[in-house]
Amino acid sequence: QCEGPLKRNAADFSAVGDGSQVFDKSNDLIWMRCIEDQTWNGSTCVANDADAVNPGPRVTYQQAKALAAEKSTIDERWRIPTRKELLTLREPNCYNPSHNLTVFPTKPAWSSDGAFWSSTPEAKGVSVVSAIGTSDAWATTDEASTNHVRLVRTPPPSQKK
């Protein structure tokens, strides 16, 4: 839920293909609308286990990299986003979750809360970004920790709008 104006307007984004991906016009990135272990039903991301307190697989960093590789094709090279890229999705006036639910609709809304892997290296591990709260929260963690992942890719020149 949001308690103030959004930092990013929904017009900054456009659906790609069946809508399960979204093009971020401001940052020239394509995001998966759903976090891993959510399913796009044509209008929203639905938690595969709607009763879970913190749904979605919490995976290690190596498992997150493997998921990106598994989803990648010749035309779509998925990867773990950088901390800076993830923070472009945060909405400081929103919480549970702190992103634009028009662009990233989720049912139940809180099911996309949690910490997300980033590919940004840190002195003692890798950076994770929190999707809970009202600040641009991030922390350092060990690669063996488990967190959520929202994959991103750079569009090929033919897909750029």
Side-chain angles (χ1 to χ4, degrees), residues 65-110:
K65 284 174 51 175
L67 282 168
E70 179 183 306
K71 289 188 180 294
S72 291
T73 66
I74 290 172
D75 296 326
E76 297 182 356
R77 302 282 184 199
W78 293 101
R79 60 183 173 77
I80 301 169
T82 65
R83 179 175 66 219
K84 182 178 177 181
E85 290 168 340
L86 273 173
L87 289 174
T88 67
L89 300 181
R90 291 192 42 88
E91 288 292 346
N93 293 319
C94 303
Y95 60 94
N96 294 339
S98 59
H99 60 255
N100 187 324
L101 287 172
T102 301
V103 178
F104 298 97
T106 307
K107 182 180 179 182
W110 51 261

Side-chain angles (χ1 to χ4, degrees), residues 1-154:
Q1 107 182 17
C2 298
E3 295 180 347
L6 295 175
K7 177 176 77 171
R8 302 284 308 275
N9 188 307
D12 291 344
F13 300 88
S14 62
V16 175
D18 66 358
S20 63
Q21 302 171 28
V22 65
F23 178 62
D24 179 344
K25 299 172 191 174
S26 298
N27 295 298
D28 200 30
L29 295 169
I30 295 178
W31 293 92
M32 290 297 266
R33 273 203 162 146
C34 303
I35 64 173
E36 290 305 310
D37 208 40
Q38 290 182 338
T39 302
W40 179 252
N41 70 7
S43 62
T44 194
C45 295
V46 179
N48 291 340
D49 181 359
D51 294 326
V53 173
N54 201 1
R58 293 173 48 86
V59 297
T60 67
Y61 189 72
Q62 292 305 317
Q63 289 170 326
K65 284 174 51 175
L67 282 168
E70 179 183 306
K71 289 188 180 294
S72 291
T73 66
I74 290 172
D75 296 326
E76 297 182 356
R77 302 282 184 199
W78 293 101
R79 60 183 173 77
I80 301 169
T82 65
R83 179 175 66 219
K84 182 178 177 181
E85 290 168 340
L86 273 173
L87 289 174
T88 67
L89 300 181
R90 291 192 42 88
E91 288 292 346
N93 293 319
C94 303
Y95 60 94
N96 294 339
S98 59
H99 60 255
N100 187 324
L101 287 172
T102 301
V103 178
F104 298 97
T106 307
K107 182 180 179 182
W110 51 261
S111 68
S112 56
D113 278 349
F116 287 77
W117 283 115
S118 88
S119 60
T120 304
E122 298 290 339
K124 295 182 179 180
V126 289
S127 174
V128 293
V129 174
S130 175
I132 303 172
T134 57
S135 66
D136 289 345
W138 61 272
T140 300
T141 191
D142 183 277
E143 288 188 18
S145 298
T146 58
N147 297 288
H148 296 301
V149 63
R150 183 185 301 276
L151 299 176
V152 68
R153 67 182 173 94
T154 303

